[in-house]
Amino acid sequence: PSRGKRAFRWRPSRVLVSKTTIRVLMDLKPLLEKNDTKILLVVLDGLGGLPVREDGKTELELANTPNLDRLAYLSACGLHIPVDIGITPGSGPGHLGLFGYEPTRYEIGRGILEALGLDMEVTERDIAIRGNFATVEYRDGIPIVVDRRAGRISTEENRRIVQKIAEKIKEIDGVEVFIKSGREHRVAIVLRFPEALPPGSDAVNDTDPQATGVAPLKAEGKNPNAQRVAEIINRLTQRIA
């Protein structure tokens, strides 16, 4: 079987309607004060650890961290529960919670975060997708995931691959395709449909199987509108592979 093939996993998300955001900002308006100061918000995402020695200390407790120690000494520190006790959120709800939104009320996927973070234009006709390059091995013609992040390829290699994809795939069945490199294995894709999409069009599963040694999942929509999006995602995956 051939090796070194790269596949993708998708995380679709719909554009947030701006009216809800405006409403929240209006509620906070009385609390806003104009000033010339700036705040640096440092989020130690994923820093939690488990004991690694008999004395019960974690990696962080054992590490030499003079810069973090100094930063903590000079700062206001605290713990934050983005969603609720016992819930480990993804990037979408985690970021919303950090900035004061109610994650269970305002749902957002990683696709829109990745696309806007890379300065991609996103409209009401778009589905924003966060994708990862992955390495697969073909066994009897079936792609089997052997590395879910393609060995964390360099950003330069990512850009080279994305440029080739962008040159070859500009549209699928009348849906425009825009792709842009993120860091290392990450990539953002915007699917632009001819018309504004109805609510629920982003209800498509991730294609990442969350494991190696198995095939990527097929994108499937949870309703007719989402199924149309899923079909475009599957066709895009086939053309890239």
Side-chain angles (χ1 to χ4, degrees):
S2 60
R3 294 180 179 271
K5 299 290 185 180
R6 292 188 176 89
F8 292 87
R9 56 188 178 121
W10 310 110
R11 287 176 175 166
S13 66
R14 183 74 190 281
V15 182
L16 279 181
V17 179
S18 59
K19 290 181 181 178
T20 57
T21 304
I22 292 172
R23 240 189 338 260
V24 173
L25 292 177
M26 288 176 64
D27 294 340
L28 298 177
K29 193 173 182 180
L31 303 178
L32 302 179
E33 292 185 13
K34 237 182 179 181
N35 58 68
D36 297 326
T37 62
K38 295 183 178 180
I39 294 176
L40 176 63
L41 176 62
V42 179
V43 182
L44 303 183
D45 182 16
L47 196 61
L50 297 173
V52 294
R53 293 199 324 194
E54 293 181 357
D55 58 12
K57 289 189 176 182
T58 67
E59 304 95 323
L60 182 59
E61 290 173 310
L62 294 170
N64 180 29
T65 55
N67 294 324
L68 283 176
D69 294 343
R70 180 63 176 167
L71 183 63
Y73 178 79
L74 297 173
S75 305
C77 300
L79 299 177
H80 181 255
I81 299 175
V83 180
D84 204 346
I85 296 173
I87 296 177
T88 304
S91 296
H95 281 83
L96 284 181
L98 283 173
F99 290 103
Y101 293 89
E102 174 52 61
T104 58
R105 180 180 177 188
Y106 303 105
E107 296 185 25
I108 184 172
R110 296 185 70 178
I112 188 64
L113 292 175
E114 192 80 11
L116 294 180
L118 293 173
D119 293 325
M120 298 181 76
E121 180 186 10
V122 184
T123 74
E124 292 184 350
R125 297 185 289 126
D126 298 348
I127 290 289
I129 297 171
R130 153 73 191 276
N132 281 356
F133 285 107
T135 305
V136 300
E137 177 182 287
Y138 281 86
R139 301 173 187 171
D140 298 325
I142 300 174
I144 302 298
V145 178
V146 295
D147 190 315
R148 294 173 53 236
R149 295 177 178 83
R152 292 190 180 273
I153 58 175
S154 67
T155 302
E156 291 71 23
E157 175 69 0
N158 180 323
R159 289 172 180 160
R160 185 189 69 80
I161 297 170
V162 165
Q163 183 178 357
K164 292 183 67 174
I165 295 172
E167 290 173 352
K168 292 185 177 181
I169 307 176
K170 299 185 181 298
E171 66 88 25
I172 297 176
D173 287 347
V175 177
E176 294 181 89
V177 178
F178 303 92
I179 182 170
K180 194 168 184 178
S181 296
R183 291 179 61 82
E184 297 180 329
H185 55 281
R186 304 169 183 87
V187 64
I189 293 178
V190 171
L191 302 178
R192 182 158 298 156
F193 288 76
E195 69 288 330
L197 296 170
S201 298
D202 61 333
V204 180
N205 63 288
D206 292 354
T207 61
D208 179 9
Q210 301 293 325
T212 57
V214 295
L217 302 177
K218 183 179 179 181
E220 295 183 357
K222 298 179 181 179
N223 59 64
N225 294 325
Q227 185 57 34
R228 181 188 176 199
V229 174
E231 289 170 359
I232 298 297
I233 292 174
N234 288 328
R235 291 198 59 185
L236 176 61
T237 303
Q238 292 169 0
R239 290 187 59 179
I240 291 174

